[in-house]
Amino acid sequence: MGIVAGLDSSPDFTRIVVCDADTGAVLKQGYAPHPVEGRPSDVDPQAWLLSLGEAAGGGLLEGVQAIGVSSQQNAVVPLDSQGNTVRPALVGGDKRAQVAAADLVDALGGREAWAQAVGCVPQAAQPVTKLRWLVKNEPDAAARTAVLLQAHDWLVWQLLGRPVRRTTDRGGASGTGYWSAATGGYRTDLVELALGHQAMLPEVIGPSDAAGTTPEGLLISAGTGETMAAAFGLGIGLGDAVVSLGASGSVMAVHPEALVDNTGMITSLADATGMHLPVVTTLNAVRTLRGTSELLGLPDLESLSELAMKSTPGSHGLVLLPYLEGERTPNLPHTAGTLAGLRRESMKAEHLARAAFEGMLCGLADALDVLRGRGVEVRRVFLLGAAAELAAVQTAAPSIFGAQVVVPQPADYAARGAARQAAWALGVSQGTLDPRNPPAWQGAAAQILEPGEDLAVGQAVRQQFVSVRDQTHPGAFRS
């Protein structure tokens, strides 16, 4: 069919992969950091274009027939009526907007009202919340805002030469806080609630649709957010969940319908294929390991893992509830961590090290159970992040999660997902692919871990954790 490219504009860099459209084999790749120091909350979008140009240097895109764009989520680019940026893009977690998030929750009538409206409760990072912050802090900029784009929308629009038509996809739209994955439509009343007036929003096109063609004849696909692109690049489907081990943790799974969760623990996103991607977030994952490592005076997480392997499942009764930054799942924003089960024989460094790993994994298993409790099938768990390579994680995860665990080799999955989307749009435009079925690319190279005979042991560890959690925080998971 030809050659396609996937472009991933992350918070720190642009990465491009050039792939065979039929097989997904990576032929070439490019990389360039954004010309921005650190991770500021405000970024001139031109920085993304500069880094894109550098990453694509040296004729990287010669022969490419279609490009897909993946980009950081939650970045909102406010434009005036002429299409110029009103101010730099508001990006990242942006703690400035925490008060604005609480204001919006109250303004619509509470968490349940938001969950019913758009499948998520406003957080500081979301575009809808940043609009409310803009009104409160930069009213002139808010008043001049006539068009709202996200990062991947803006990049696609630029690649196409800034046409009159502006587009987005379901995945990106579902993270804004003003589009509902359940209804497939915008809630323009929520834009007005946040911004104080209406603004033009991009047209939401289908997963296999093209956003347009450049004057040179290069097809540009719909584009999507980084989370959705990574899921597509990994090739996950029904029965699969992805557990991402960052400082905080996230659990997402593919599901055929949008989930409305009145507790606000589930964020109901759409994926890049026409399905849904419910996500549950924990505030504490690898930060639990780092904190324990520092407490024990260890130089790195590998040393913590080696120490933990000297203990046994259950950590001699030691249980760590890893709520070091408060917690979102369960919703305990003002709590702290708890270390329970201290006895003379359990007061050893290796038992604390193992309790940290088990506590982190049990906290993520709680998040998995939130999805399972809503009918989401989980047969395989893809484990992402550098900590997924640690022996203590790989030993305990399958039995604690109660599922096969897949540890993919590190790769640029978001860029690969963007390239796969480009191949889909190209195939549909040529009449060689069905708009309902994406190209069947080879799955990610991965290590497969089975719970096997350790399943009962892992479930006993989990039960020990649940008992301490319920005793310490009774009713924490009450609906």
Side-chain angles (χ1 to χ4, degrees):
M1 199 163 63
I3 299 172
V4 295
L7 182 164
D8 176 40
S9 180
S10 84
D12 301 312
F13 56 79
T14 299
R15 196 175 292 280
I16 301 173
V17 296
V18 176
C19 300
D20 180 283
D22 292 315
T23 66
V26 176
L27 307 175
K28 294 184 285 186
Q29 40 198 329
Y31 166 88
H34 295 322
V36 177
E37 289 293 322
R39 279 199 180 185
S41 298
D42 301 304
V43 175
D44 183 345
Q46 293 296 328
W48 306 333
L49 279 183
L50 288 169
S51 128
L52 190 168
E54 188 180 338
L60 185 75
L61 299 179
E62 281 178 17
V64 166
Q65 294 164 274
I67 292 180
V69 177
S70 147
S71 191
Q72 59 182 301
Q73 282 150 249
N74 296 322
V76 61
V77 186
L79 304 179
D80 64 19
S81 56
Q82 305 302 309
N84 301 312
T85 49
V86 167
R87 69 176 314 284
L90 293 135
V91 303
D94 209 344
K95 291 185 177 179
R96 296 177 300 184
Q98 285 175 335
V99 172
D103 283 351
L104 280 177
V105 172
D106 291 342
L108 195 65
R111 296 167 66 86
E112 187 172 336
W114 278 95
Q116 292 286 346
V118 287
C120 60
V121 178
Q123 305 289 334
Q126 282 180 298
V128 71
T129 305
K130 288 170 177 168
L131 298 182
R132 170 58 70 103
W133 179 89
L134 198 61
V135 167
K136 298 288 186 185
N137 294 275
E138 299 177 12
D140 291 346
R144 289 192 295 119
T145 297
V147 182
L148 295 172
L149 297 180
Q150 291 187 86
H152 80 83
D153 309 336
W154 187 85
L155 283 165
V156 165
W157 184 56
Q158 295 292 327
L159 289 172
L160 290 172
R162 296 165 58 110
V164 173
R165 181 190 188 218
R166 301 179 183 93
T167 62
T168 190
D169 85 307
R170 297 167 64 255
S174 67
T176 59
Y178 43 81
W179 185 88
S180 166
T183 65
Y186 282 116
R187 285 289 301 263
T188 54
D189 58 317
L190 300 182
V191 174
E192 189 162 351
L193 181 71
L195 188 60
H197 61 87
Q198 290 294 343
M200 285 186 64
L201 302 170
E203 176 190 345
V204 181
I205 61 177
S208 62
D209 291 345
T213 305
T214 68
E216 298 77 31
L218 191 63
L219 184 135
I220 308 293
S221 65
T224 195
E226 245 177 350
T227 297
M228 299 80 189
F232 197 38
L234 278 167
I236 66 169
L238 290 173
D240 292 333
V242 177
V243 173
S244 185
L245 300 176
S248 54
S250 69
V251 176
M252 64 181 178
V254 179
H255 198 56
E257 58 191 35
L259 297 179
V260 175
D261 173 55
N262 292 337
T263 68
M265 281 194 288
I266 299 174
T267 297
S268 194
L269 300 177
D271 79 347
T273 72
M275 301 282 273
H276 294 269
L277 205 61
V279 179
V280 180
T281 302
T282 68
L283 293 182
N284 301 279
V286 175
R287 65 165 41 99
T288 305
L289 305 182
R290 295 206 182 283
T292 307
S293 181
E294 289 167 13
L295 179 66
L296 294 173
L298 298 172
D300 50 42
L301 297 187
E302 288 75 13
S303 302
L304 185 71
S305 175
E306 287 173 15
L307 184 61
M309 295 299 286
K310 294 176 181 176
S311 180
T312 52
S315 310
H316 273 245
L318 214 53
V319 175
L320 178 63
L321 300 184
Y323 307 151
L324 308 183
E325 297 281 323
E327 192 45 85
R328 270 185 66 181
T329 308
N331 186 31
L332 300 166
H334 306 300
T335 194
T338 302
L339 186 62
L342 280 169
R343 298 180 183 274
R344 180 65 190 87
E345 62 271 19
S346 65
M347 295 177 73
K348 293 184 178 177
E350 61 264 31
H351 302 324
L352 177 55
R354 184 156 192 128
F357 282 96
E358 290 177 346
M360 175 188 76
L361 292 170
C362 284
L364 291 161
D366 279 350
L368 268 173
D369 279 357
V370 169
L371 295 178
R372 284 174 166 141
R374 294 299 307 279
V376 177
E377 186 183 10
V378 178
R379 293 193 305 271
R380 291 193 301 178
V381 174
F382 285 71
L383 204 53
L384 301 185
E389 303 288 335
L390 298 173
V393 170
Q394 295 192 1
T395 300
S399 60
I400 288 176
F401 292 157
Q404 182 188 83
V405 168
V406 180
V407 184
Q409 287 182 3
D412 304 313
Y413 291 110
R416 192 169 189 267
R420 191 178 176 204
Q421 188 192 62
W424 195 5
L426 180 64
V428 169
S429 75
Q430 294 174 339
T432 57
L433 285 178
D434 186 325
R436 293 162 300 179
N437 297 307
W441 282 11
Q442 189 171 352
Q447 192 175 355
I448 309 296
L449 308 168
E450 300 284 357
E453 296 175 358
D454 293 332
L455 181 59
V457 174
Q459 293 309 293
V461 170
R462 183 83 202 288
Q463 190 51 54
Q464 179 178 266
F465 177 92
V466 168
S467 296
V468 172
R469 185 200 70 208
D470 289 350
Q471 190 174 358
T472 312
H473 303 286
F477 278 100
R478 192 170 43 230
S479 298

